[in-house]
Amino acid sequence: MSRPRTVGHLDAAYRLLLQQDCPSWLYAVTQGATTIWERWDSLRPDGTLNPGGMTSFNHYAFGAVVDWLYRTVAGLDAAEPGYRRLRIAPRPGGGLTHAGADLRTPYGEASVSWEKSGDVVAVTAVVPPNTRADVELPDGRKLVVGSGRHTWSATVSSGATPAALTVDTPMSQMLDHPEALAVLRETLTRHWPEAAAHMDTESTGSAGYAEVSPRQLAAFFAEGDVWLAELQERLGGL
């Protein structure tokens, strides 16, 4: 998850974090999980166990996402070994309105928190004694501060109005709209149940169709035109 932060794909990283369809971190939560699973679908949507030979319901590997929550979402990171110098660079997104993280370093406790209201993000940070911090605020401002408690206010763009969803919209964009994705699956199940079932497999999930639009998918089955007409009408009502 750290890679999208460095190459400008923050929206995609947040989508990976917050989507609820399998494969995702929140799919397990929708199934009642209170621990991290070994497989994305250790428990299938129909309540059956994954038949694979390795199916643990308490397995750390996918929990590594918490590193990204600390370093990117909250924005607390080390700029030098041992936290002699900190990096404070919160990256709000994904519809979240607040986040925060704290860490006990060799120099004392460090923390960052932010809260978003409209287009304004209020950031608060605590830098331990005898250390410094490189700060990059959500509006792009950069500064260096010493130890102590600091507060800043940053104005960020709300972004352009989302484009209307149509049968030419890639699946990757529909993943950000749970209602649209539900309509797509519901209608596809009636017209081409095999494709709808394939979207729920661990190997691909909805992400397996990321850059495919419904119109492109419709070219592969007999009732494609009928499905497209129904889907477009339903999407127009959202």
Side-chain angles (χ1 to χ4, degrees):
M1 288 285 284
S2 62
R3 182 63 177 166
R5 179 189 68 180
T6 62
V7 297
H9 295 288
L10 185 65
D11 290 343
Y14 266 110
R15 182 168 66 243
L16 287 172
L17 176 71
L18 297 174
Q19 69 184 33
Q20 297 184 19
D21 298 308
C22 185
S24 71
W25 283 275
L26 292 185
Y27 165 76
V29 176
T30 68
Q31 299 300 307
T34 57
T35 55
I36 299 292
W37 297 349
E38 182 176 11
R39 294 174 179 266
W40 292 119
D41 63 345
S42 288
L43 186 68
R44 299 290 178 81
D46 62 4
T48 61
L49 297 180
N50 187 304
M54 298 181 293
T55 303
S56 169
F57 287 93
N58 191 7
H59 203 84
Y60 170 73
F62 291 147
V65 69
V66 175
D67 178 82
W68 185 79
L69 296 178
Y70 260 78
R71 296 172 187 265
T72 303
V73 177
L76 179 59
D77 199 357
E80 292 182 4
Y83 289 90
R84 177 63 183 269
R85 193 178 189 98
L86 303 178
R87 180 178 185 271
I88 296 172
R91 291 292 178 266
L96 300 184
T97 58
H98 62 279
D102 58 76
L103 181 69
R104 184 175 297 176
T105 78
Y107 301 91
E109 184 172 291
S111 66
V112 181
S113 63
W114 58 264
E115 184 170 349
K116 186 173 185 290
S117 178
D119 291 343
V120 178
V121 180
V123 180
T124 301
V126 174
V127 180
N130 302 312
T131 66
R132 299 178 72 78
D134 299 323
V135 180
E136 184 174 346
L137 296 174
D139 60 7
R141 281 182 292 157
K142 297 180 180 181
L143 57 153
V144 177
V145 298
S147 59
R149 181 182 177 88
H150 306 273
T151 59
W152 303 278
S153 180
T155 300
V156 295
S157 172
S158 296
T161 302
L165 299 176
T166 72
V167 294
D168 294 305
T169 301
M171 301 291 190
S172 59
Q173 295 182 29
M174 289 194 179
L175 288 174
D176 292 328
H177 303 271
E179 292 182 355
L181 193 59
V183 166
L184 184 146
R185 287 188 169 183
E186 175 195 335
T187 56
L188 187 60
T189 298
R190 289 200 301 274
H191 295 280
W192 192 10
E194 295 84 1
H198 189 60
M199 291 178 69
D200 291 321
T201 64
E202 180 186 20
S203 61
T204 58
S206 302
Y209 296 88
E211 300 309 317
V212 177
S213 71
R215 187 183 300 280
Q216 292 171 318
L217 186 62
F220 291 93
F221 67 106
E223 297 184 24
D225 290 341
V226 177
W227 173 58
L228 283 181
E230 179 183 353
L231 179 60
Q232 184 60 72
E233 181 179 358
R234 296 282 300 277
L235 290 176
L238 296 179

